[in-house]
Amino acid sequence: MIRISDIEKFYHTEDLEITALNKVSIEVEEGEFVAIMGPSGCGKSTLLNILGFLDDADKGSYVFNGVEVSQFNERKRADLRKNNVGFLFQNFNLIDDLTVFENVELPMIYTGLPMSVRAKRTDDILDRMHVTERRKSYPQQLSGGQQQRVALARAVVNRPKLILADEPTANLDHDNGKEVMDLLNELNKEGTTIIMVTHSEDDAKYSNRIIRMPGIPIGPMK
């Protein structure tokens, strides 16, 4: 499903070149649950953003479902993103001015699904995530665990082939974190590919495979 080869990503300050990714190569098969671990600053989230078409690499190859996508422009990346990828973030990233129902429905509006389909899918996924009773609530009225279950509902409502999760339990207590991980595990068993960045060894145990990234030094401008 995914093959990246010698991916590099750089950021620049006034006098430093920061190497976020240094010739990273990985492969992920369809249906895998992969955990990415490593020290803070080693490029885990940067890698996730590239895998999810939120950012592009400076060098290297990215093949997604057999297609080389590393040179795609933003419009092509956006099309890939909305049709193939669901995102789950540690800070939930829900829209405060929208209700739970509206937050979950939003990705389907972008893909042009009819209102009747959107309503049924939203109700179904809210029920599965155990937040149906909060469908008219706003994010700030929810607990952290409820917000993350809503965020997961939003991530999967378009039935993506791939879920990218960035520290999905970092802001949750043990019980809520376990519930979210159990839900991710269920989705993976149903065939969804999951790539998760985590510092938690317990969360990583849910995966089929762990990729450990080394730390990357910061060097002077060349």
Side-chain angles (χ1 to χ4, degrees), residues 167-202:
E167 300 282 3
T169 68
N171 290 329
L172 304 179
D173 60 31
H174 176 269
D175 289 344
N176 281 306
K178 184 178 184 305
E179 185 171 6
V180 168
M181 290 307 304
D182 286 342
L183 289 166
L184 285 172
N185 193 45
E186 285 179 20
L187 292 164
N188 176 246
K189 287 180 177 178
E190 293 168 5
T192 305
T193 306
I194 298 175
I195 302 176
M196 174 182 68
V197 163
T198 184
H199 282 100
S200 169
E201 294 287 350
D202 288 337

Side-chain angles (χ1 to χ4, degrees), residues 1-5 26-34 50-53 61-69 80-81 83-86 159-164 188 191-195 209:
M1 183 180 196
I2 287 172
R3 185 175 74 249
I4 64 169
S5 305
I26 64 170
E27 292 190 25
V28 178
E29 298 293 332
E30 186 171 357
E32 273 199 284
F33 190 153
V34 175
I50 290 172
L51 292 175
F53 314 110
S61 168
Y62 180 7
V63 176
F64 183 80
N65 281 340
V67 178
E68 175 62 62
V69 299
L80 280 172
R81 191 164 60 236
N83 291 313
N84 294 282
V85 185
R159 301 172 182 172
K161 298 179 179 70
L162 172 66
I163 293 177
L164 300 176
N188 176 246
T192 305
T193 306
I194 298 175
I195 302 176
R209 179 162 59 101

Side-chain angles (χ1 to χ4, degrees), residues 105-170:
E105 181 190 30
L106 190 60
M108 293 182 288
I109 294 175
Y110 293 146
T111 55
L113 287 174
M115 184 181 297
S116 59
V117 175
R118 299 199 308 263
K120 185 177 188 312
R121 276 203 198 176
T122 301
D123 284 336
D124 287 348
I125 198 65
L126 289 177
D127 181 59
R128 179 172 184 178
M129 300 298 164
H130 315 302
V131 284
T132 298
E133 75 282 359
R134 305 311 301 267
R135 67 197 304 275
K136 295 182 179 179
S137 300
Y138 290 89
Q140 61 269 28
Q141 298 172 317
L142 308 179
S143 68
Q146 289 170 331
Q147 288 189 62
Q148 193 61 304
R149 291 199 299 276
V150 172
L152 182 54
R154 181 186 59 188
V156 303
V157 74
N158 262 336
R159 301 172 182 172
K161 298 179 179 70
L162 172 66
I163 293 177
L164 300 176
D166 193 357
E167 300 282 3
T169 68

